[in-house]
Structure formats: structure tokens, C-alpha cells
Amino acid sequence: MRRWMLGVTVVSVTLAACDGDWLVVSDEPDAPRDLEGYYYDGAVNLSWRLGARWNGEFFRVYSKRESDPEYFFIAEVTSCTDGVCVYRDVNVSPGVTYEYYVAAVDIDLALETASDYSIEVFVPRPVPPPVPESVDAVALDHASYVHWSNEPALEEDFAAYRVYLSDSEGDYLLGETDSPGFIDLLADNGRTWTYFVTSVDDQGHESDGSEVVSCTPRPDYTGEVLYTFQDVPASAGFRFQESDDLQAVIAGDSQDRHFRLEADDAGLWLVPGPGARIHPETRWTTALKCGAGADPDCVSWELAPMSGYSSKPAPLDPGLTLMLRVPGDDGDTRFGAVRASLAGVDQEGYELIVFDWAYQTQAGNPSLDRGVGSGGW
């Protein structure tokens, strides 16, 4: 609301001699234009434009509660950007209406010209929105996918969600979204990242933080091709790599292999390499991981068992996910997952599989998809 008012001007008079006459000169600064104000996030935000004759003068901001008889000087603004000046008044109380006006000040001439009108802004009592629930974090390759239930968006005054990164040095705002999901593309592989989420209403009120969730991104690859050792031994071996840029398919008799593919009359087998072990349990899945954009009926195996691994071969059929425990480049134990999507032959009749794989580069972490805390390690 605007209240029109007479511009407040302190007049300075200069006397000059000219042909025996006295001339009165008044050069008051141009008044601020288009004064606006609104409440957001516990404060009143004011803005105004420079007058056409602005000549470098600074501004004084005046305020009073609606019940006060007089205005009080509360701030001085000395810089503006692109012809617009702003001020944020954080010294306000809930349930109170405040009035503001702004004046341009020429300190050398002791002149002060007020805006043509004052404005009223009501400060509401803050009611925080609901806290997001069912928060989860899914590890991707060089990324984390954080998602949660969307109940806060059903509130009439809902505006957005805020996603925070939490570590030993504090909490950092990663970004805002109006959907119940966020992908952190800055999350490096082999490091555990921790997140929480808040909701924000259209007046800037923010909820408490959600439960904290963590995940450890790791390399994964889609559409890898591996031949059987009986048909193409040079392309039958595989070693999990920490980067997709490194060659994972190697010779089937290489001592560096984590496993190789073999075939017999009973079918296809994953045979562990030196120091590697395969868990005898296999699980039917629809995907290696169920991350952002996954089908709602997606089924994946996300946490490797900590024990029970064997040096025996394991059957490999399309749709099955297998877990492996292997020595990393540094000799420490790491976990990997393999899921065959297709089995067949090439134009030469050589048997092969097309498979997806994931590798956890953090030593000892059995999580191939979801975060730390998914099961004791």
C-alpha cells in the first residue's frame, strides 16, 4: 500500500551578487522513483530507481511502525546497480505493519528530498512448511541422485525444495527445485557425500532439515561386450576400472583379470580371476541400478554381501545380477556388480554377452548404488 506524502526537503540558500541584485539558488537532489517493498524470509525488502537527475547522491531509508507517530532513520544506502537501489530490513517483528520512505541526500548542500510516497508492508507470523520425508540418495557415476516424497508440494503456499550438502565444515546449499528429486553432478567417485532437504513456502519460510542420507558414487558402464574364453580368449577377461576411460575388457588369461566368461553345455559362467571371489547368490533384476528416471517397477540389487564369497564359477543368464569381491589396484578389497542384459552370438557365430557393471572405488564399501548406512560395513 502507498501513502502519498509531501517530499521532505531541507533547503539550503546561496546568496550571490549580480548587478546589485540578490539571487536565491536552490538545487535539491532528484527524489527516488518507483519505491516498492515486500516481505520475504523474515525481512522487508525495499527497492527504488534513481531519479533522472541523480548526480551521485546517497540515500537514507526511514521507517516506522504503523502505530508510531514519527519516522526513524534506519539505514544509509550508498551504492546501486543498473539504476536500481535495494535495502533489506531484518529488524522487523511478526504481526506488525511497517511504513517506509526513502530520501536522496546531497551532503555538501545539506539537501534531502524524499520519495513522493511511503509504502506499507505487513510482516506475517512465520509458519514453516512441512519437512520432506522418505529422503534417499542413489549413487551414480560421478553423480548422486537425491529424491524424497512430494507431500510438501501439496501445500497451497509451497514454492520449492532446497538441497544441502553436509560435511565436517558445515552445510552448503546445492540448489533449489520444485520437483522431488535432484542430481548432484559435482559428486566425485569414491567419496561419500551426505545430503538433507528442506521445503520453502512462497514467503521464504523454510522447514527444518530432513533426515540425513549419504551415498558413494562409483563407476558404472552400460553395454559392455564380453566373449567366451572358448571363442575369443583375447576379449574374454574383465577387470573393474575406476574410470570408464580405462580398458576393462582384457585377455581371458591375464593375471590382472577379475573374472572371465566361459561356456559349456550347461550355459555361460563367470569364472573368478586371481584373488577375486563371486557370491553364489544371484538375483533377478530389471536393471543394474534404479536411479533418476528409472521405471517405477525397477528392481535392482544395491548392496553387496559382506561375506560368503567363493572362488567357484557362477552361472550368468540375462536379467541376473552377480556380486563380486575383488582386489583393487592398491590391493584393498572392493566390490563390483555385473548384470547381463543379452546373451547371443556375433556374425561369426562366437558366443558373447552384453552386460552392465558397477564398481565401488571406496575400499571396503559394499554399496553399489545406495548410500552408507544401508547395511553394516
Side-chain angles (χ1 to χ4, degrees):
M1 177 179 176
R2 296 181 177 183
R3 291 182 180 271
W4 294 93
M5 58 188 294
L6 181 65
V8 178
T9 304
V10 178
V11 180
S12 174
V13 178
T14 302
L15 301 181
C18 181
D19 295 332
D21 296 328
W22 293 98
L23 177 64
V24 178
V25 179
S26 176
D27 188 18
E28 65 185 54
D30 203 1
R33 310 291 176 85
D34 302 331
L35 176 62
E36 296 180 350
Y38 63 93
Y39 168 83
Y40 188 80
D41 191 20
V44 174
N45 298 273
L46 304 175
S47 66
W48 61 93
R49 292 194 309 109
L50 301 176
R53 294 184 292 103
W54 180 75
N55 192 32
E57 298 89 357
F58 64 87
F59 299 91
R60 287 175 178 162
V61 181
Y62 294 87
S63 174
K64 75 180 187 72
R65 292 171 297 187
E66 191 177 36
S67 59
D68 292 333
E70 297 180 354
Y71 285 92
F72 300 92
F73 166 66
I74 63 169
E76 192 169 270
V77 176
T78 58
S79 62
C80 305
T81 303
D82 295 329
V84 178
C85 312
V86 296
Y87 175 71
R88 181 175 169 85
D89 183 10
V90 298
N91 296 313
V92 295
S93 300
V96 177
T97 297
Y98 291 85
E99 295 184 19
Y100 298 88
Y101 77 87
V102 179
V105 180
D106 187 325
I107 194 67
D108 294 329
L109 298 178
L111 294 176
E112 185 171 329
T113 306
S115 52
D116 292 336
Y117 54 85
S118 65
I119 58 171
E120 291 184 354
V121 179
F122 175 71
V123 177
R125 299 189 182 279
V127 179
V131 177
E133 297 180 346
S134 303
V135 182
D136 199 3
V138 178
L140 306 176
D141 189 359
H142 288 291
S144 301
Y145 173 52
V146 186
H147 62 96
W148 53 91
S149 61
N150 203 28
E151 281 79 4
L154 302 178
E155 299 292 324
E156 185 177 350
D157 59 353
F158 171 80
Y161 296 105
R162 289 176 181 165
V163 181
Y164 291 86
L165 177 68
S166 182
D167 63 22
S168 59
E169 297 182 358
D171 301 329
Y172 306 91
L173 177 63
L174 289 178
E176 290 190 356
T177 176
D178 58 4
S179 64
F182 182 89
I183 297 181
D184 178 11
L185 297 177
L186 300 179
D188 293 333
N189 285 347
R191 176 180 172 186
T192 299
W193 303 86
T194 301
Y195 306 89
F196 67 89
V197 185
T198 66
S199 59
V200 185
D201 67 20
D202 57 11
Q203 291 186 321
H205 302 140
E206 187 172 8
S207 74
D208 291 336
S210 69
E211 61 180 325
V212 173
V213 294
S214 300
C215 68
T216 309
R218 73 291 175 276
D220 61 51
Y221 192 84
T222 300
E224 195 81 76
V225 176
L226 196 66
Y227 284 90
T228 63
F229 187 64
Q230 288 74 17
D231 284 345
V232 187
S235 298
F238 183 87
R239 182 178 181 83
F240 292 107
Q241 301 287 4
E242 296 194 6
S243 170
D244 293 346
D245 296 332
L246 300 176
Q247 181 62 37
V249 175
I250 58 179
D253 57 0
S254 170
Q255 292 301 301
D256 291 331
R257 72 185 188 277
H258 285 143
F259 63 84
R260 71 185 180 198
L261 181 66
E262 294 190 10
D264 60 20
D265 293 340
L268 297 173
W269 300 84
L270 232 60
V271 180
R277 298 292 184 269
I278 302 177
H279 201 275
E281 178 185 2
T282 59
R283 293 187 186 180
W284 180 86
T285 57
T286 62
L288 183 70
K289 64 178 185 297
C290 297
D295 186 274
D297 298 324
C298 181
V299 177
S300 62
W301 189 7
E302 302 163 344
L303 192 68
M306 288 299 296
S307 61
Y309 290 84
S310 169
S311 59
K312 295 180 179 180
L316 182 63
D317 294 314
L320 293 181
T321 292
L322 284 72
M323 291 292 181
L324 293 91
R325 189 180 65 193
V326 301
D329 294 342
D330 56 4
D332 289 339
T333 297
R334 287 174 170 78
F335 296 89
V338 172
R339 180 185 183 273
S341 54
L342 295 171
V345 296
D346 66 7
Q347 64 271 28
E348 302 294 334
Y350 298 149
E351 283 191 281
L352 59 81
I353 61 168
V354 178
F355 67 102
D356 304 337
W357 58 271
Y359 183 53
Q360 178 52 265
T361 60
Q362 190 176 69
N365 186 348
S367 174
L368 275 303
D369 197 38
R370 294 191 184 274
V372 174
S374 300
W377 66 274

